[in-house]
Amino acid sequence: MSLLALTPMLRTPDLPASIAFYTDVLGFQRQGGAAAEGWAALARDGIELMLSGLNAHEGDTAPAFTGSLYLRTDDVDGWWRRLQDTARVCYPIEVFGYGMREFAVYDNNGYLLQFGQPIAAHDEATP
């Protein structure tokens, strides 16, 4: 018995704006669904994400998530240059004692997206 994948499902009151953020700002491609259908499946570089409207059955009134989505990358500086002026920054790029160079931004709903690269991999990629 195996788990084959984990696909986060983020709920949003403005599905068209969320689809636009993830496709236009982060470069995801729509794989299925549409705003008119109340959901969308997105993918980029082997990472999958689903978006849906608020779920009345569970009493959703606003986006809520107490964690973050941590995206490991091979070019944290490139992502920082791309996002620092187009997304609301939580904290700027910095090196942490646990061996990661990372930064964090919020999506259009306030979900926290952290981008990180191991320091050793960053140092190897920097000439």
Side-chain angles (χ1 to χ4, degrees), residues 42-84:
L42 308 173
R44 179 197 166 115
D45 303 328
I47 294 176
E48 295 180 352
L49 175 70
M50 293 182 71
L51 302 170
S52 75
L54 298 180
N55 186 328
H57 293 100
E58 294 186 27
D60 290 345
T61 58
F65 183 64
T66 59
S68 66
L69 299 179
Y70 196 96
L71 300 135
R72 290 182 61 140
T73 177
D74 61 358
D75 186 5
V76 72
D77 293 295
W79 278 105
W80 174 245
R81 285 188 299 275
R82 179 176 181 162
L83 297 174
Q84 67 181 331

Side-chain angles (χ1 to χ4, degrees), residues 3 10 13 41 53-54 82 86 99 116:
L3 295 173
L10 301 178
L54 298 180
R82 179 176 181 162
T86 58

